[in-house]
Amino acid sequence: MEWDAKKYNTTHDFVFKYGAGLLELVPKEPKKVLDIGCGTGELTKQMAELGHEVTGIDQSLNMINQAKETYPELIFLQEDILNPSDQIGLYDVAFSNAVFHWIPDQDLLLKNIGEHLNVNGQLICEFGAVGNVQKIREAFGRELNALGVPFEEPFCFTSVENYRILLEKNHFEVVEILEYERPTPLKGGKSGLNEWMEQFYAAELEELSGEQKDKVLENMERDLKSKLWNEDHWEADYRRLRINAVKM
Ligand SMILES: C[S@@+](CC[C@H](N)C(=O)[O-])C[C@H]1O[C@@H](n2cnc3c(N)ncnc32)[C@H](O)[C@@H]1O
């Protein structure tokens, strides 16, 4: 899926705004940091301002171009963490916000991160936990089902128990692993749910005709109104997994 970087930065800026909390886990003294899936580079910039030597990588050309345009003084590389080039060196910290659930092969992801971390290097990341945006996903699944369109979940949401096993298998020692609910207000008033769908289920919606898409989104709004509408905005049922681990 290709990202609409401008829309991401204006309508879905909550992603990196919430991600700022994760910066508190980054050591205070200057470190070499790899920001994996840096998107438009907002958190990369904040880490640079804290004194770290940061490289942002992202597989999306749109995101990387936007990051380079906004912060030309920083290093951004278009890279897929599942197939990294030799340009990526060794780091003290691998940082990542709201990325891992987009990556189907978690084992390869952690193996590759381990290969780019110094011994005792830190992995600090946050992403969707099991049950993340469950009500939205279920409603979308129901609509596609009714149309006879197969629904293949693009996300990989996981639990504390499963991720601890995966981290240990990949030679990380867990310092902290936390699963928590984070109800997330969406921007845009009534159109907030549609805009969220257009960003995060862009690839799946593209498969539908214009008429089908309108119908699906309209039905979802009706279906979810009693569950996720809160006075004047939609509130998405986010659940997150936050990890602080050290490479052994
Ligand atoms: C929701 S955005 C988060 C961006 C940024 N971390 C932030 O907090 O604003 C997810 C990002 O992960 C990137 N991404 C997904 N899979 C990736 C992969 N295999 N390698 C590198 N980046 C990836 C996407 O291109 C996208 O920019």
Side-chain angles (χ1 to χ4, degrees), residues 42-98:
E42 298 302 322
L43 295 173
T44 326
K45 172 67 178 172
Q46 289 182 39
M47 286 189 280
E49 282 175 346
L50 290 171
H52 303 296
E53 188 189 323
V54 197
T55 299
I57 62 165
D58 201 291
Q59 71 174 5
S60 156
L61 189 58
N62 284 353
M63 290 297 216
I64 282 293
N65 282 344
Q66 179 70 45
K68 282 181 177 169
E69 194 183 310
T70 320
Y71 305 115
E73 71 282 14
L74 301 183
I75 300 171
F76 292 106
L77 305 170
Q78 189 193 9
E79 291 275 351
D80 178 352
I81 187 64
L82 293 185
N83 188 19
S85 78
D86 296 339
Q87 286 191 92
I88 309 180
L90 275 177
Y91 295 84
D92 306 311
V93 176
F95 176 92
S96 185
N97 179 55

Side-chain angles (χ1 to χ4, degrees), residues 1-3 8-9 12-20 35-44 57-61 63-64 77-83 95-104 109 199-200 240:
M1 168 190 117
E2 192 37 289
W3 289 76
Y8 178 76
N9 252 13
H12 300 117
D13 52 352
F14 68 84
V15 177
F16 50 80
K17 286 186 174 156
Y18 278 114
D35 185 0
I36 300 164
C38 61
T40 53
E42 298 302 322
L43 295 173
T44 326
I57 62 165
D58 201 291
Q59 71 174 5
S60 156
L61 189 58
M63 290 297 216
I64 282 293
L77 305 170
Q78 189 193 9
E79 291 275 351
D80 178 352
I81 187 64
L82 293 185
N83 188 19
F95 176 92
S96 185
N97 179 55
V99 178
F100 284 14
H101 51 254
W102 292 98
I103 298 183
L109 168 69
Q199 177 94 70
F200 297 103
R240 308 313 271 174

Side-chain angles (χ1 to χ4, degrees), residues 133-155 193 196-198 200-208 212-221 223-224 227-228:
V133 290
Q134 180 93 4
K135 293 189 175 81
I136 299 179
R137 288 159 51 221
E138 283 174 0
F140 190 37
R142 275 194 295 275
E143 289 309 315
L144 293 186
N145 210 15
L147 288 174
V149 174
F151 178 40
E152 210 178 305
E153 183 61 75
F155 302 117
L193 180 64
W196 188 94
M197 288 295 295
E198 302 257 14
F200 297 103
Y201 276 118
E204 290 70 18
L205 290 175
E206 241 171 54
E207 297 295 313
L208 305 179
Q212 283 177 322
K213 185 172 128 182
D214 290 348
K215 195 86 203 135
V216 162
L217 295 178
E218 195 187 309
N219 287 348
M220 282 183 68
E221 283 190 335
D223 185 0
L224 290 171
K227 300 166 191 150
L228 299 177

